[in-house]
Amino acid sequence: FSDFFSLREGLKQNEDYKKIYWPALPDKKYFGHFEVEFIQNRRERLEAFLQNLITLDESFKSDGLVQAFLTFD
């Protein structure tokens, strides 16, 4: 989750991407984070973020932050 957060925040701060809508990431939850409903909601919201990311212009996909995120070990 922290990788998604770092990517989103880094992209939002980049002047070239400020006009792009970035879907909100799911909230952190310290208790009950293994509940099925919470996990399902989190998965759906992270998926929406990724779907938004892959539909952007091809030049965007070569951004260093995006490349680091996609190739993270």
Side-chain angles (χ1 to χ4, degrees):
F1 179 79
S2 61
D3 295 330
F4 282 87
F5 182 80
S6 295
L7 175 62
R8 183 175 185 269
E9 292 306 304
L11 293 172
K12 283 175 52 178
Q13 293 175 10
N14 186 319
E15 286 295 323
D16 295 334
Y17 310 133
K18 285 201 177 220
K19 294 182 180 180
I20 295 174
Y21 168 73
W22 299 105
L25 295 176
D27 296 329
K28 288 186 177 185
K29 188 173 183 180
Y30 297 102
F31 298 103
H33 57 273
F34 292 116
E35 294 172 0
V36 174
E37 185 177 326
F38 173 76
I39 294 170
Q40 178 68 20
N41 181 288
R42 178 174 252 194
R43 185 193 61 77
E44 289 171 0
R45 290 181 67 186
L46 293 174
E47 186 176 314
F49 178 80
L50 289 175
Q51 289 294 332
N52 188 58
L53 189 66
I54 64 171
T55 60
L56 296 173
D57 184 89
E58 284 296 318
S59 63
F60 170 78
K61 295 174 188 172
S62 64
D63 182 274
L65 283 171
V66 175
Q67 287 298 309
F69 177 82
L70 295 175
T71 59
F72 187 76
D73 293 325

